[in-house]
Amino acid sequence: MTGGAQGLGRAISRRLADEGARVTVVDLNADRAAECIELIEKDGGSGTFVKANVAKREDIAGAVQAASAGGALHVLVNAAQYFAMPKALELVTDKDWELSEATGPRATFRFMQLAHPYLKAAGRASVVNFVSGSALAGIAFTGPYSAAKGAIGALTKVAANEWAAHGIRVNAVCPFALTDVQRDMIGTEWDNYTRTAEASPMKRGADPDTEIAPAVAFLASDDAAFVTGTVLHIDGGMTELSTVDYSKSPGVFG
């Protein structure tokens, strides 16, 4: 579980552990990871932490090796992603682009590629990636992030096509949720959550624990044995039914 120590990642890590998985939490934040593992174990689950920078291939290799210590890996969830704040394309920097690409599609690809032998050995396995409505709808001022998520969506479908014969299902989720980070920004000038929620049909983001994590757990489980190559929207209709205006976000035009 990449990015598994906080936000949506923490909720998913805990839910998978509740379902009986031995969860490997891959993250850079050791303190938040320790809190996550403590919560998992308090609930009777099993979890371990691997500190890794998903932009580094050697860290990814170490994380995959740790997660597959038993010789097989049944579920891979790729949630880690750097998010560049909304910005006009002409102001996007090389750093914005490189971080988005390195932590998004490149990291997702590397985790999938290095995990493939272990997923294949499991016989029946599942990969769940994260895409975004910003890519699917072409939301203005989200260039690097949208490009990264669009690439992950394409990668998901290619892998689903190639790996079905290996017993590996590959799907993606497209969430809109209220995480701790977003909650802390509500009311500040950086509050893009409220702007997005107001433009969405249900006027709110999902609860990570009760509305996002169960959907990911479903895709990871045998209940979704005939589901592959799909994007599950868990966004209250935001992607298909609304348009978000980021034009007044700080820094968009410099």
Side-chain angles (χ1 to χ4, degrees), residues 177-201:
L178 176 57
T179 66
D180 291 342
V181 173
Q182 291 165 322
R183 187 177 286 108
D184 290 341
M185 290 184 178
I186 290 177
T188 72
E189 65 174 343
W190 303 104
D191 180 11
N192 285 324
Y193 167 78
T194 298
R195 183 179 294 108
T196 305
E198 288 175 348
S200 69

Side-chain angles (χ1 to χ4, degrees), residues 22 35 37 47 73 100 108 117 128 138 148 169 203 220 226 229 238-239:
R22 181 178 63 84
E35 294 171 1
I37 298 299
L73 182 64
S100 296
T108 298
V128 183
R169 296 180 297 104
K203 308 301 181 187
F226 205 57
M238 187 189 76
T239 300

Side-chain angles (χ1 to χ4, degrees), residues 11 19 48 54 56 61 63 75 77 92 104 110 113 149 168 173 188 217:
E19 298 284 342
T48 58
V54 299
K56 296 182 178 180
V75 177
V77 181
V92 169
R110 283 175 169 171
Q113 185 182 60
K149 290 303 187 182
I168 305 168
V173 293
T188 72

Side-chain angles (χ1 to χ4, degrees), residues 2-3 26 52-57 59-60 80 102-103 106-107 110-111:
T2 77
V26 180
N53 181 346
V54 299
K56 296 182 178 180
R57 185 180 181 88
D59 283 16
I60 293 174
T103 62
R106 192 194 313 171
R110 283 175 169 171
F111 266 104

Side-chain angles (χ1 to χ4, degrees), residues 1-252:
M1 174 76 224
T2 77
Q6 49 201 319
L8 292 180
R10 172 181 291 199
I12 296 165
S13 293
R14 294 185 65 188
R15 180 62 181 233
L16 293 177
D18 286 345
E19 298 284 342
R22 181 178 63 84
V23 178
T24 301
V25 175
V26 180
D27 208 288
L28 269 177
N29 193 321
D31 292 337
R32 298 302 296 271
E35 294 171 1
C36 181
I37 298 299
E38 183 179 351
L39 289 170
I40 287 174
E41 293 179 344
K42 182 179 179 181
D43 292 336
S46 174
T48 58
F49 167 55
V50 176
K51 185 174 183 177
N53 181 346
V54 299
K56 296 182 178 180
R57 185 180 181 88
E58 59 270 24
D59 283 16
I60 293 174
V64 171
Q65 185 175 17
S68 58
L73 182 64
H74 293 86
V75 177
L76 171 64
V77 181
N78 289 299
Q81 172 76 63
Y82 168 79
F83 177 71
M85 295 302 289
K87 186 181 295 184
L89 282 176
E90 59 268 26
L91 298 177
V92 169
T93 66
D94 286 349
K95 182 178 180 181
D96 293 331
W97 190 269
E98 289 164 2
L99 281 173
S100 296
E101 191 276 332
T103 62
R106 192 194 313 171
T108 298
F109 164 72
R110 283 175 169 171
F111 266 104
M112 290 171 62
Q113 185 182 60
L114 292 174
H116 177 263
Y118 304 103
L119 294 167
K120 185 177 180 180
R124 297 179 71 174
S126 173
V127 177
V128 183
N129 296 326
F130 275 64
V131 298
S132 172
S134 63
L136 299 173
I139 293 176
F141 313 119
T142 66
Y145 181 75
S146 289
K149 290 303 187 182
I152 291 171
L155 176 64
T156 297
K157 290 183 178 296
V158 170
N161 241 336
E162 293 187 13
W163 292 359
H166 304 165
I168 305 168
R169 296 180 297 104
V170 188
N171 294 289
V173 293
C174 180
F176 171 51
L178 176 57
T179 66
D180 291 342
V181 173
Q182 291 165 322
R183 187 177 286 108
D184 290 341
M185 290 184 178
I186 290 177
T188 72
E189 65 174 343
W190 303 104
D191 180 11
N192 285 324
Y193 167 78
T194 298
R195 183 179 294 108
T196 305
E198 288 175 348
S200 69
M202 297 184 74
K203 308 301 181 187
R204 67 174 181 86
D207 180 278
D209 295 296
T210 63
E211 294 173 318
I212 301 295
V216 174
F218 162 72
L219 288 176
S221 74
D222 286 342
D223 288 339
F226 205 57
V227 180
T228 194
T230 193
V231 175
L232 177 59
H233 293 262
I234 325 167
D235 62 0
M238 187 189 76
T239 300
E240 299 294 337
L241 305 175
S242 63
T243 301
V244 183
D245 180 9
Y246 284 129
S247 63
K248 294 181 175 60
S249 297
V252 165

